[in-house]
């Protein structure tokens, strides 16, 4: 039955109900006394208004749906039994048959139970979403937001048939015109105390127990938060053959605002308050309350601050995801390339370079053809005369397969406003490329054009173009656009290094490049610089020399990458500067500075990193580096550097409108206070360093699968002086500023005797001004304190007594850069602070054992974007957040109980599943590098969420060394002796190929045993 027909039927029932009540009240009956079933007398009218405020209380223990509310959680639920008929003039009366309902909630579900007296069980409709109001049925109406009109209706009949619906509006006219929106996943179980649909017997009643997942409420923002109030109505249709009409009862104080009144009158619904877990509804917590941490001195930095900071060049103009900017010569305007979102199609904009310029003042000139991505801008040296501007871009072109990198020339109007004419587009040079596209362009002092190209792929030079000389790929090209050859838009300068040489593209100026990102030619120093994105471990910048081979993909910078690949015919040159991925992850090439504001930087090439926001300067004489230093630590996502009309720096910050925009450098006037703790006793985190006792606000924790650290005993702590932790289902959590992760290491001086443990190192990972930094402290011999290790790190040796004699244990205190190799951007900087590691029990100082996630939730330390975490799994758009409805509420509640969240196995617990243990070992010991952008170049993807068949591990052929293993595979099923991974984790020492490459000098014997056993368990192909 459509909604409008149902409403009409209900309305008529209300009219008939008044006549029925008068008839019953006067003693009349429609049936003879011999035929009549026993019926409950009509109750007297309420002498006062029935209750209209109810509670939905917390369920801390599991509930099994069986129709009987016999679980412990139901004992704490409020009994709601004020079911009444509210439409009887000014006085409502109780329903003829008793109903007691209860509501509970937890992280995943809203639970309901109703126990109903009923002497005549009747329900003959079995179709989902059928006209259940024609049967004995229990109903729930929920309106999540008093100010919004959307509301829900759920029904379960005595036959177990269900009805569920969401209505964006509740007025009668709109309901009559709309159908239910979206799908639902309600579950329920009915228990009968009598015989269904046998109308001549006497039954006792029925009950229903059900649950509705909070994901069904995503249309209106999803799950509530503790203390929130919704509107509620619980209703019942009761059919009895002894009555002329069915009886309709509810718990809401519905009035006669509408004629006739009806259950959809949600402005009159009762109030439902969601009561969070407390001492009466939840088992004891490991830590009851969060003690404030006000004593931490782990703030700032132990080293002097860099000399510059980033400040906005234009405060009011904040373009959306800018990629490139260049001043339009001879004007006060800028030409920009922007995106609506990362990886989206690009647009060209013009904006005045002035303090008053706003986003509204910018003018969109054109979009990149065919939805392509533009990367670079170069104005012709004679722009004032010819008005030529060149755009480097990549994308599809009509009539051709694949994507192409193209340098396109446009003509810009001479008179203001300066516009680009799309019809003037002329292709200068192009090549097929689908990733690592280059497309950077600039002009030399002689008017020739330099163009960069990448290797044309997205990973590891798959097509082996890096050392090929006959293609336009992986090169710096040099062409003459002013004297084009016949049939071309350019000619090849005769002094190019490989003109006339067989097997060389004559356009080649230099080759062996992976993904050059920015090129600049400085007319004063005659220097041509290219910045390059590295792949696994190294980022590079090159002072490009004529004819040089920069080695990709035989080399990554100055380091072997695929040394067995065939190199080009000329010697390989090293990069001018390179950075390990501990400090740079996606290098952005820059410009040579000659401005007036920063005289110390004159003549220096200034470049930065997209991922870390760090900025460096290098001054090169042409034959050697004069100086090279980091000059700024920023939070910018740097896509390009440019020089404004006055020769001062402009930096593009690739972020959303309002946050993104144009920046420049300014002197850093902040004074280095020198308060960063040089000793653990100065950190404000310890009550007693000697006893390794922490302040009450510092929270201990452990992990499911510990990283192998030469068998050292480890203790871990979390300090969050302010803010909350952004919980995520996958990867490391986002921590607030000033957070400190503490990990201490102790060695057993007598192997196997825990009483001989000696603290040797404590490490801090701390987030300061939006960036993560790692520090090590070395303990003194007395074990009373520890001192901050200098930036380069430290090495020591300890003597350990064993059953076979003394053993020398080497111990490396990592440098500050080394800390960030594992604590990388790919790992989101934190390793143990993630769902799969933290989902475990811990015994706290209170003596109580509790799940760590539950404790953090209880302490209010988590910030859970619940709707964002669960909405991705919902495919039906109508089941997601709907417009003009209640919005998701900020919450610290986990998306599911810990038992429903992911966790790693303990690799060293032989009682656990072998395959799960192997996956946990790989995740912890290998996946910090061997994930996307993680730094490992073996192409494996070894993190926990990746399925085995997508890891590129089992049965995969090694892309690097095979260590002379016959028939080598990364993991050879059933054959550990042929498995390179197992070989490497069993090695230690320089040039041994050990894995992991850092943090241990001893083989993890139990780990090797585990991986060997797992390998043997795999079926041979």
């Amino acid at each position: 039955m459509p909604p409008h027909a149902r409403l009409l039927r209900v309305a008529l029932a209300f009219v008939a109900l008044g006549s029925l009540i008068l008839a019953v009240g006067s003693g009349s009956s429609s049936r003879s006394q011999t035929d009549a079933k026993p019926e409950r007398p009509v109750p007297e009218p309420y002498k006062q208004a029935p209750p209209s405020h109810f509670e939905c209380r917390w369920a801390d223990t599991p509930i099994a749906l069986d129709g009987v509310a016999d679980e412990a959680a139901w004992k704490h639920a409020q009994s709601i039994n004020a079911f009444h008929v509210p439409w009887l003039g000014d006085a409502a009366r109780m329903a003829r048959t008793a109903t007691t309902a209860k509501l509970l909630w937890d992280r995943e579900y809203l639970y309901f139970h109703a126990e109903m007296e009923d002497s005549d069980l009747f329900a003959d409709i079995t179709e989902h979403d059928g006209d259940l109001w024609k049967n004995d049925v229990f109903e729930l109406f929920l309106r999540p937001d008093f100010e919004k009109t959307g509301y829900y209706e759920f029904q379960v009949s005595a036959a177990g048939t269900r009805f569920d619906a969401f209505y964006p509006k509740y007025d009668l006219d709109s309901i009559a015109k709309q159908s239910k929106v979206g799908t639902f996943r309600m579950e329920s179980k009915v228990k009968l105390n009598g015989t269904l649909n046998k109308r001549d017997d006497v039954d006792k009643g029925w009950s229903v127990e059900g649950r509705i997942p909070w994901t069904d409420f995503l249309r209106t923002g999803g799950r509530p938060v503790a203390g929130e109030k919704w509107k509620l109505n619980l209703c019942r249709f009761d059919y009895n053959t002894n009555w002329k009409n069915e009886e309709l009862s509810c718990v809401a104080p519905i009035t006669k605002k509408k004629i006739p009144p009806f259950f959809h009158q949600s402005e009159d619904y009762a109030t439902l308050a969601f009561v969070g877990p407390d001492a009466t509804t939840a088992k004891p917590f490991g830590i009851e309350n969060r003690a404030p941490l006000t004593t931490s001195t782990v703030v700032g930095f132990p080293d002097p601050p860099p000399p510059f900071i980033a400040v906005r060049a234009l405060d009011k103009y904040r373009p959306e995801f800018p990629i490139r900017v260049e001043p339009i010569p001879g004007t006060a305007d800028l030409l920009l390339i922007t995106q609506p979102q990362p990886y989206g199609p690009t647009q060209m904009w013009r904006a005045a370079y002035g303090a008053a310029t706003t986003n509204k003042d910018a003018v969109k000139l054109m979009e990149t053809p065919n939805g392509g991505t533009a990367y670079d801008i170069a104005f012709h040296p004679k722009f004032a005369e010819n008005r030529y501007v060149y755009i480097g871009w990549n994308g599809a072109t009509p009539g051709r397969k694949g994507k192409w990198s193209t340098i396109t020339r446009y003509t810009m109007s001479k008179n203001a406003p300066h516009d680009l004419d799309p019809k003037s587009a002329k292709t200068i040079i192009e090549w097929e490329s689908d990733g690592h596209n280059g497309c950077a362009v600039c002009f030399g002092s002689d008017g020739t054009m330099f163009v960069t190209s990448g290797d044309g792929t997205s990973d590891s030079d798959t097509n082996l173009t890096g050392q090929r000389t006959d293609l336009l790929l992986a090169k710096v090209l040099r062409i003459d656009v002013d004297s084009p050859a016949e049939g071309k838009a350019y000619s090849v300068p005769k002094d190019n290094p490989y003109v006339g040489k067989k097997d060389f593209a004559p356009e080649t100026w230099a080759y062996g490049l992976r993904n050059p990102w920015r090129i600049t030619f400085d007319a004063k120093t005659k220097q041509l610089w290219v910045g390059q994105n590295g792949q696994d471990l190294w980022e590079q910048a090159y002072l490009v020399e004529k004819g040089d081979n920069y080695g990709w993909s035989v080399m990554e910078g100055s380091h072997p990458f695929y040394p067995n690949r065939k190199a080009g015919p000329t010697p390989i040159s090293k990069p001018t500067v390179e950075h390990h991925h501990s400090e740079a992850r996606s290098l952005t090439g820059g410009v040579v500075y000659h401005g007036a504001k920063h005289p110390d930087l004159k003549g220096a090439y200034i470049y930065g990193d997209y991922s870390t926001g760090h900025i460096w300067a290098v001054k090169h004489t042409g034959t050697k580096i004069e100086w090279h230093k980091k000059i700024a630590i920023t939070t910018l996502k740097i896509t390009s550097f440019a020089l404004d009309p006055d020769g001062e720096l402009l930096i593009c910050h690739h972020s959303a409108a309002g946050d993104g925009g144009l920046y420049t450098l300014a002197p850093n006037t902040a004074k280095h206070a020198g308060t960063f703790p040089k000793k653990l006793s100065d950190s404000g985190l310890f009550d007693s360093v000697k006893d390794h006792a922490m302040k009450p606000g510092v929270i201990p924790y452990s992990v499911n699968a510990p990283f192998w650290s030469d068998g050292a005993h480890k203790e871990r702590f979390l300090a969050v002086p302010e803010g909350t932790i952004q919980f995520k289902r996958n990867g490391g959590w986002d921590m607030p500023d000033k957070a400190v992760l503490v990990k201490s290491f102790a060695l057993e001086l007598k192997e196997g005797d825990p009483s001989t443990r000696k603290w040797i190192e404590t490490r801090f990972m701390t987030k300061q001004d939006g960036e993560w930094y790692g520090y090590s402290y070395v303990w003194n011999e007395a074990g009373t304190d520890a001192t901050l290790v200098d930036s380069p790190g430290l090495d020591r040796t300890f003597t350990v007594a064993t059953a076979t004699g003394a053993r020398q244990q080497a111990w490396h205190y990592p440098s500050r850069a080394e800390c960030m190799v594992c604590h990388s951007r790919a790992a989101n900087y934190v390793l143990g602070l993630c769902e799969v590691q933290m989902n475990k029990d811990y015994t706290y100082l209170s003596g109580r054992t509790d799940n760590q996630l539950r404790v953090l939730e209880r302490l209010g330390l988590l910030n859970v974007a619940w709707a964002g975490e669960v909405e991705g799994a919902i495919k039906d758009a109508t089941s997601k957040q709907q417009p003009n409805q209640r919005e998701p509420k900020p919450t610290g509640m986990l998306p599911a109980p810990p038992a429903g969240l992911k966790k790693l196995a303990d690799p060293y617990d032989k009682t656990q599943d072998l395959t799960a243990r192997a996956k946990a070992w790989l995740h912890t010991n290998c996946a910090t590098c061997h994930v996307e952008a993680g730094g490992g170049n073996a192409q494996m993807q070894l993190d926990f969420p990746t399925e085995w068949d997508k890891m590129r591990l089992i049965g995969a052929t090694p892309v690097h060394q095979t260590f002379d293993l016959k028939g080598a595979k990364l993991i050879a099923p059933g054959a550990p002796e042929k498995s390179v991974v197992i070989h490497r984790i069993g090695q230690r020492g320089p040039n041994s190929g050990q894995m992991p490459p850092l943090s241990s000098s001893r083989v993890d014997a139990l780990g090797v045993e585990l991986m060997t056993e797992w390998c043997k368990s795999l079926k041979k192909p």
Side-chain angles (χ1 to χ4, degrees):
M1 179 182 293
H4 66 280
R6 176 197 172 189
L7 290 171
L8 179 61
R9 185 176 183 277
V10 172
L12 294 173
F14 296 152
V15 175
L17 183 61
S19 301
L20 171 64
I21 293 166
L22 292 175
V24 173
S26 62
S28 64
S29 174
S30 61
R31 303 180 63 187
S32 68
Q33 294 297 321
T34 56
D35 294 333
K37 296 181 180 180
E39 66 175 87
R40 185 172 174 175
V42 176
E44 294 290 328
Y46 268 106
K47 295 182 179 180
Q48 58 185 13
S52 60
H53 291 76
F54 305 103
E55 291 183 351
C56 183
R57 296 172 182 167
W58 184 255
D60 199 50
T61 53
I63 294 176
L65 299 185
D66 55 8
V68 181
D70 53 359
E71 290 84 5
W74 286 115
K75 296 178 181 179
H76 300 290
Q78 180 187 23
S79 294
I80 302 173
N81 48 31
F83 282 75
H84 60 282
V85 181
W87 302 284
L88 303 176
D90 297 326
R93 68 154 174 82
M94 288 291 292
R96 297 176 186 226
T97 50
T99 302
T100 299
K102 294 181 177 181
L103 299 173
L104 291 170
W105 71 302
D106 63 13
R107 300 171 185 88
E108 295 182 286
Y109 298 100
L110 170 69
Y111 299 90
F112 60 91
H113 178 263
E115 187 79 31
M116 291 159 281
E117 288 184 358
D118 196 333
S119 61
D120 182 13
L121 295 176
F122 169 65
D124 59 356
I125 297 172
T126 58
E127 178 188 0
H128 178 252
D129 284 352
D131 298 349
L132 301 193
W133 46 91
K134 296 177 181 179
N135 287 177
D136 287 335
V137 69
F138 177 74
E139 300 183 326
L140 297 88
F141 292 84
L142 289 160
R143 181 177 171 183
D145 193 325
F146 289 28
E147 304 298 324
K148 306 293 183 180
T149 56
Y151 73 108
Y152 299 85
E153 177 180 4
F154 302 96
Q155 302 179 28
V156 184
S157 76
T161 308
R162 291 187 287 271
F163 176 98
D164 36 49
F166 167 69
Y167 303 106
K169 293 184 179 181
Y170 65 87
D171 61 90
L172 182 60
D173 291 337
S174 66
I175 291 175
K177 296 175 183 178
Q178 69 187 17
S179 60
K180 59 182 289 186
V181 178
T183 57
F184 294 83
R185 288 156 289 277
M186 176 174 63
E187 302 171 76
S188 62
K189 181 71 174 180
V190 167
K191 184 174 179 60
L192 303 178
N193 192 357
T195 306
L196 188 66
N197 297 332
K198 188 175 182 181
R199 309 307 299 271
D200 58 356
D201 68 348
V202 178
D203 303 311
K204 293 185 178 180
W206 64 290
S207 62
V208 59
E209 187 177 27
R211 66 184 189 184
I212 308 166
W214 291 121
T215 51
D216 278 359
F217 294 87
L218 276 171
R219 304 160 179 85
T220 55
R223 189 175 65 184
V225 297
E228 189 176 356
K229 295 180 179 179
W230 289 12
K231 282 184 173 288
L232 165 77
N233 197 8
L234 304 177
C235 307
R236 179 184 176 189
F237 278 72
D238 189 3
Y239 287 78
N240 192 302
T241 56
N242 193 44
W243 304 343
K244 184 176 181 180
N245 294 94
E246 68 271 21
E247 184 172 80
L248 301 86
S249 60
C250 70
V251 299
I254 292 179
T255 66
K256 284 190 175 181
K257 291 179 183 177
K258 293 186 180 294
I259 304 298
F262 63 110
F263 283 166
H264 294 264
Q265 205 164 302
S266 64
E267 70 271 23
D268 290 337
Y269 283 177
T271 299
L272 179 68
F274 290 90
V275 179
D278 55 31
T280 63
T281 60
K283 64 181 181 181
F285 295 90
I287 301 175
E288 287 290 344
N289 298 299
R290 180 181 176 184
L293 179 61
T294 59
T295 56
S296 175
T297 63
V298 186
V299 179
F301 313 94
D303 304 312
F308 296 96
I309 60 172
V311 297
R312 284 195 179 273
L314 297 178
D315 184 59
K316 296 180 181 179
Y317 177 48
R318 302 187 178 192
E320 196 168 40
F321 294 104
I323 291 179
R324 184 75 170 96
V325 62
E326 272 293 307
I328 301 175
T331 76
D333 290 345
L334 302 174
L335 184 62
L336 297 98
I337 302 172
T338 69
Q339 292 175 296
Q341 70 273 338
Y343 306 107
T346 49
Q347 304 167 344
M348 306 292 296
W349 293 77
R350 186 188 70 245
Y353 187 52
T357 300
T358 68
N359 283 31
K360 292 182 179 180
D361 299 321
V363 177
K364 185 166 78 170
L365 302 181
M366 59 176 286
E367 296 186 352
T368 308
N370 306 312
T373 302
Y375 298 119
D376 206 3
I377 302 168
F379 291 94
H380 193 281
K382 295 182 179 180
F383 174 76
E385 301 171 19
N386 58 34
R387 312 304 294 177
Y388 290 160
V389 57
Y390 299 82
I391 306 298
W393 64 283
N394 178 269
T397 56
R400 290 194 294 188
K401 293 181 179 180
K403 291 184 177 181
W404 288 69
S405 286
T406 305
I407 306 301
T408 301
R409 188 189 75 194
Y410 293 91
T411 301
M412 179 171 275
S413 57
K414 187 171 185 179
N415 299 321
H418 305 288
D419 293 328
L420 287 174
D421 181 6
K423 295 181 180 179
S424 69
K426 180 178 179 60
T427 297
I428 302 301
I429 189 171
E430 59 184 348
W431 60 94
E432 191 172 3
S433 181
D434 189 11
H436 302 169
N437 298 313
C439 298
V441 57
C442 69
F443 284 90
S445 56
D446 60 356
T448 58
M449 177 187 284
F450 292 102
V451 179
T452 68
S453 61
D455 64 22
T457 65
S458 59
D459 181 45
S460 301
D461 193 14
T462 306
N463 296 335
L464 300 179
T465 61
Q467 290 294 292
R468 284 187 62 175
T469 58
D470 58 332
L471 304 174
L472 295 183
L473 291 162
K475 294 176 176 60
V476 174
L477 309 173
R478 180 172 176 256
I479 59 177
D480 184 349
V481 296
D482 293 330
S483 304
E486 185 175 353
K488 287 191 174 185
Y490 69 89
S491 62
V492 175
K494 294 181 180 180
D495 59 343
N496 272 12
Y498 298 110
V499 169
K501 293 190 177 181
K502 185 182 178 181
D503 297 329
F504 270 92
E507 295 90 343
T508 303
W509 184 257
Y511 70 101
L513 294 171
R514 175 184 181 269
N515 188 26
W517 185 255
R518 304 298 173 217
I519 188 171
T520 188
F521 180 82
D522 179 50
K524 290 186 178 181
T525 62
K526 308 300 182 186
Q527 293 178 347
L528 179 68
W529 286 92
V530 167
Q532 171 160 277
N533 296 157
Q535 178 160 310
D536 282 0
L537 292 173
W538 299 93
E539 304 290 308
Q540 310 93 38
Y542 298 93
L543 178 54
V544 177
E545 298 291 343
K546 179 179 180 178
D548 273 2
N549 173 10
Y550 294 114
W552 178 254
S553 59
V554 172
M555 306 289 286
E556 183 182 30
S558 62
H559 305 270
F561 188 77
Y562 284 113
N564 296 329
R565 286 182 174 175
K566 183 180 179 181
T570 63
I572 292 175
S573 299
K574 293 183 178 181
T576 308
V577 295
E578 63 182 339
H579 296 271
H580 191 274
H581 276 182
S582 59
E583 58 181 0
R585 286 280 174 163
S586 181
L587 191 137
T588 296
V591 293
V592 178
Y593 176 79
H594 294 285
K597 289 186 177 180
H598 312 303
D600 291 345
L601 298 180
K602 280 196 172 186
Y605 175 64
I606 298 172
Y607 63 99
D609 185 68
Y610 177 89
S611 297
T612 66
H614 294 190
I615 300 174
W616 294 266
V618 56
K619 194 166 186 179
H620 203 286
T621 65
T623 57
K624 65 178 182 179
I625 292 176
E626 189 173 336
W627 54 260
H628 182 212
K629 57 189 175 184
K630 185 182 294 184
I631 61 172
I633 297 174
T634 79
T635 58
L636 305 181
K637 297 178 180 177
I638 303 170
T639 48
S640 71
F641 292 83
L643 298 173
D644 73 9
D646 297 322
E648 300 301 331
L649 282 171
L650 286 177
I651 307 168
C652 284
H653 173 37
H654 192 244
S655 191
D659 180 51
L662 304 179
Y663 283 74
T664 189
L665 292 183
N668 188 353
T669 59
K671 295 182 178 179
H672 180 56
T675 58
F676 192 91
K678 299 298 178 65
K679 294 182 179 295
L680 290 185
S681 54
D682 299 328
S683 67
L685 302 180
F686 290 78
D687 257 346
S688 171
V689 176
K690 179 178 179 295
D691 300 317
H692 212 278
M694 313 303 288
K695 294 286 185 183
V698 180
I699 301 167
Y701 71 96
S702 62
V703 296
N704 280 313
F707 183 82
W708 170 250
S709 301
D710 284 353
H713 169 75
K714 290 180 274 192
E715 292 187 8
R716 302 168 180 84
F717 302 89
L718 169 64
V720 183
E722 56 190 49
T724 55
I725 300 167
Q726 183 66 52
F727 174 92
K728 298 190 298 185
R729 295 300 313 272
N730 293 312
W733 299 338
D734 293 331
M735 309 296 291
D737 261 7
K738 300 181 182 179
V740 188
L741 312 183
V742 182
K743 182 162 62 174
S744 290
F745 301 78
L747 282 179
E748 292 177 353
L749 297 184
K750 183 178 180 181
E751 198 169 65
D753 185 355
S755 68
T756 66
R757 285 175 183 163
K758 174 186 178 69
W759 294 113
I760 59 172
E761 182 184 4
T762 293
R763 295 176 188 170
F764 287 174
M765 284 295 302
T766 179
K767 190 175 184 182
Q768 304 289 328
D769 295 335
E771 291 291 335
W772 281 96
Y773 301 88
Y775 304 100
S776 287
Y777 290 80
V778 54
W779 281 72
N780 61 28
E781 286 297 322
T784 57
D785 210 342
T787 303
L788 181 66
V789 174
D790 289 338
S791 180
L794 180 68
D795 288 286
R796 284 195 173 177
T797 302
F798 298 89
T799 301
V800 177
T802 73
T804 58
R807 171 174 59 81
Q808 299 303 303
Q809 172 65 58
W811 193 263
H812 179 64
Y813 299 81
S815 70
R816 290 172 197 166
E818 285 175 321
C819 287
M820 308 312 297
V821 173
C822 292
H823 293 272
S824 65
R825 177 172 177 256
N828 203 32
Y829 307 103
V830 297
L831 305 179
L833 273 297
C834 60
E835 177 182 318
V836 294
Q837 287 282 28
M838 291 291 289
N839 189 8
K840 71 183 298 286
D841 286 350
Y842 186 91
T843 301
Y844 294 88
L845 290 176
S846 63
R848 293 190 291 267
T849 299
D850 200 353
N851 182 276
Q852 293 180 140
L853 297 180
R854 183 173 180 265
V855 167
L856 295 179
E857 176 189 62
R858 167 66 173 175
L859 298 180
L861 272 168
L862 301 180
N863 180 12
V864 182
W866 178 87
E869 293 288 351
V870 300
E871 194 169 38
I874 304 298
K875 296 182 180 180
D876 177 16
T878 61
S879 295
K880 297 183 178 183
Q881 178 69 45
Q882 298 297 300
N884 303 314
Q885 299 295 338
R886 170 187 174 270
E887 295 291 333
K889 302 296 182 183
T891 179
M893 190 177 295
L894 294 165
L901 299 177
K902 297 173 293 186
K903 63 182 300 183
L904 294 177
D906 180 350
Y908 306 106
D909 181 357
K910 294 184 179 182
T911 66
Q912 298 187 34
D913 178 76
L914 176 63
T915 301
R917 291 167 56 210
K919 197 166 196 183
W921 194 94
L922 289 169
H923 174 91
T924 301
N925 291 278
C926 306
T928 52
C929 289
H930 293 295
V931 290
E932 183 178 355
N937 67 355
Q939 302 180 14
M940 297 182 291
Q941 183 87 7
L942 302 183
D943 57 327
F944 178 78
T946 303
E947 299 295 332
W948 286 110
D949 61 349
K950 293 180 173 61
M951 284 186 170
R952 300 190 290 271
L953 173 69
I954 301 173
T957 301
V959 295
H960 296 300
Q961 297 184 61
T962 62
F963 299 92
D964 297 324
L965 303 180
K966 187 178 180 180
K969 300 292 182 182
L970 292 178
I971 291 291
E977 72 280 0
K978 298 180 180 180
S979 300
V980 169
V981 169
I982 294 175
H983 172 82
R984 297 187 71 176
I985 67 177
Q987 305 299 310
R988 286 297 178 271
N991 304 316
S992 68
Q994 75 170 62
M995 284 292 171
L998 300 175
S999 301
S1000 64
S1001 60
R1002 298 176 61 204
V1003 170
D1004 178 7
L1006 293 178
V1008 174
E1009 178 186 328
L1010 161 65
M1011 298 305 294
T1012 300
E1013 183 183 358
W1014 167 70
C1015 179
K1016 289 180 179 179
S1017 74
L1018 301 176
K1019 292 183 179 180
K1020 293 183 179 181

